Amino acid sequence: MASVDLDPLLLLRQSISDGSAIIPTTSADTSSSGPPPEASLSQATHLQFTNPTRVSIPIDTPTRFVSNDEPVNLRSIYFAWLNREVAIPEYNASATKLNDELTGTAAVHKFAFVERLDLITWLESASEESEFIKPLAGEKDGAVPGAAGAAKATSKAAVVSASARAGRGTLDPRLAQIYDGERRMGDRNTVLRGIKPTDFSHVRKLAQPFMSRKPSPTATALINNPSLALNPKPARRPDPIILLSPSASSLLRMSNVKSFLEGGRYSPPDHNSAVSMLHVSRTMKEIDPTRPMRFILVEGPEQFKPEYWNRVVAVFTTGQTWQFKNYRWSNPAELFKHTLGIYLGWRGEQAPDAIRAFGHRVMPCSIEKWRDPTAPGAETSRWRDREVVEGIWKAIEGNMRAKGWRKDAAPSSI
């Protein structure tokens, strides 16, 4: 099997998609017919996959996921997946405990919250790209050397044949005859150069005199205006961030904000929910009418990097100033100069004095009081929720346009 097919990240993603078993074990042996004894992550030396073929990968193998310019090992990736629904403080505590149990130089990497969300989204096949995952060699430059290039270029039937030989022993002679009659397709490397690697390093010396000369007017124009280049690669737009209030008195928490902002219907929050972050999708027609934008929702900035603050587009607040203690701008008056504030309260009740003191920079919104759905007429008042939600999104979109959000870019500062 080609090295591309044994990529740990692709094996893990495929196993999650298929629901096949992923077993931490202390042995690399895959010859037994039954599953191996499962070991704890602190004792395991290999991670055994069962689909599309049984294979064991060393658990400390570096992957293509890069954090702070360092590849993250397979143990850390699998540990993050197992703890995907755990809150950030509990996840960090579990990682610290596992590091204490590990001996030697092995250690579990602690992901930042955006890295963790991006990884989980990619593993769940909800996204086909990730800013933290390096592309495979074949995807990056089309050059998969040697046998790996030939394996990527073979037909689907050849791959089935290889897996059949590995999994069921001798291949059916009639099926082998059919495979031998198929035409093998090649990529540009095998067609133009064959599978023998070619060294072009000498070309650099020949090109050096030309590269040191003054660039032509055309080259200068392309440097000054990259949009003139042929097929420019579009920049990846970062996801905007919405901060929620962690106060127990807040009407919107992580447990009910998704149904409110996406479905336009309010329901009481579940105060026992352990979700620490999630995302909602919304099409901002005045910014990008062709594709929906994904918004990241969190209750606190504990895992923020400095540049994440440029992506904050709204802050939900109850007026309690302790919410802003760990913010970049802890003074509410200064905070709401940089981003939109939103207060959600009950219709017919006056907003707190603190909200009124914040002035026009905080948008007050009111919804109908929650009533028991079994009570007569309880459902008739909930149709107003969507009207409130549309007003909130309109305000967020207007604030984003004013701060410099565009179809393919985010503001460098707010």
Side-chain angles (χ1 to χ4, degrees), residues 17 30 38 45 53 113 161 171 191 206 230 383 413:
S17 176
T30 59
E38 186 170 349
T45 59
T53 183
F113 90 101
S161 173
L171 187 67
V191 171
L206 298 176
L230 294 177
W383 65 271
S413 63

Side-chain angles (χ1 to χ4, degrees), residues 21-35:
I22 307 170
I23 307 171
T25 179
T26 57
S27 172
D29 183 22
T30 59
S31 59
S32 60
S33 57

Side-chain angles (χ1 to χ4, degrees), residues 346-369:
W346 298 124
R347 191 181 304 274
E349 293 185 0
Q350 191 174 21
D353 294 339
I355 296 296
R356 297 198 301 272
F358 294 159
H360 69 280
R361 300 185 186 277
V362 176
M363 173 184 176
C365 303
S366 300
I367 58 174
E368 297 293 334
K369 289 186 177 181

Side-chain angles (χ1 to χ4, degrees), residues 11-20 51 81 123-125:
L11 283 173
L12 182 58
R13 189 186 195 202
Q14 182 65 32
S15 297
I16 292 171
S17 176
D18 296 341
S20 56
N51 185 54
W81 169 253
L123 289 176
E124 291 177 334
S125 300

